[in-house]
Amino acid sequence: YTSNLAIVQVIAKLQSKTRDRAAFASDEIKKHIDYFYAHCNIYEVKNQDIKRALKMPGAKDLEDNIHFVVFLNTKCNAILTNNKKDFDHYGVSVRTPRKVKQRTK
């Protein structure tokens, strides 16, 4: 699973220039996003999910709370993120893309 929120975040990240790379062209971004739609179930974040996330106590990052609500609603076994430490306090299995990539070799 992934969520429509995660897809929007990927688009924002890819179209932004960083110190290490140029921004991706729109056509390249569309190819990456098409891959998600072809290979993932997309969970649509709803207003009730956002409201639930906003009510969670001790929230440092409200977006992370929304991703956690998606995790709960989809009954996934882990959250995949580059920011593992941001999800440690939820008490769920968290994996990084690098660790998943190493595991599949």
Side-chain angles (χ1 to χ4, degrees):
Y1 280 93
T2 192
S3 69
N4 54 346
L5 170 61
I7 290 173
V8 170
Q9 289 177 313
V10 167
I11 292 168
K13 193 70 152 175
L14 294 179
Q15 66 187 8
S16 300
K17 178 183 170 188
T18 69
R19 210 171 3 123
D20 301 326
R21 65 162 175 80
F24 281 64
S26 293
D27 288 342
E28 288 179 280
I29 294 171
K30 289 175 186 176
K31 287 179 188 176
H32 287 288
I33 300 308
D34 286 344
Y35 180 88
F36 285 120
Y37 280 102
H39 295 91
C40 298
N41 292 318
I42 310 299
Y43 179 87
E44 285 193 45
V45 176
K46 299 166 193 67
N47 287 334
Q48 66 194 29
D49 300 324
I50 295 168
K51 288 177 183 179
R52 181 178 177 193
L54 294 175
K55 290 179 183 176
M56 294 175 68
K60 289 184 181 179
D61 187 327
L62 297 175
E63 286 179 47
D64 290 345
N65 282 2
I66 297 168
H67 290 299
F68 181 67
V69 169
V70 169
F71 166 85
L72 294 173
N73 290 341
T74 57
K75 298 182 173 84
C76 288
N77 341 358
I79 293 175
L80 181 66
T81 180
N82 282 316
N83 299 318
K84 186 178 182 307
K85 64 177 177 48
D86 291 350
F87 290 90
D88 285 343
H89 69 278
Y90 292 106
V92 298
S93 179
V94 180
R95 297 198 177 104
T96 62
R98 173 173 280 156
K99 190 169 186 173
V100 170
K101 188 175 179 180
Q102 290 172 346
R103 188 174 179 202
T104 59
K105 287 184 178 181

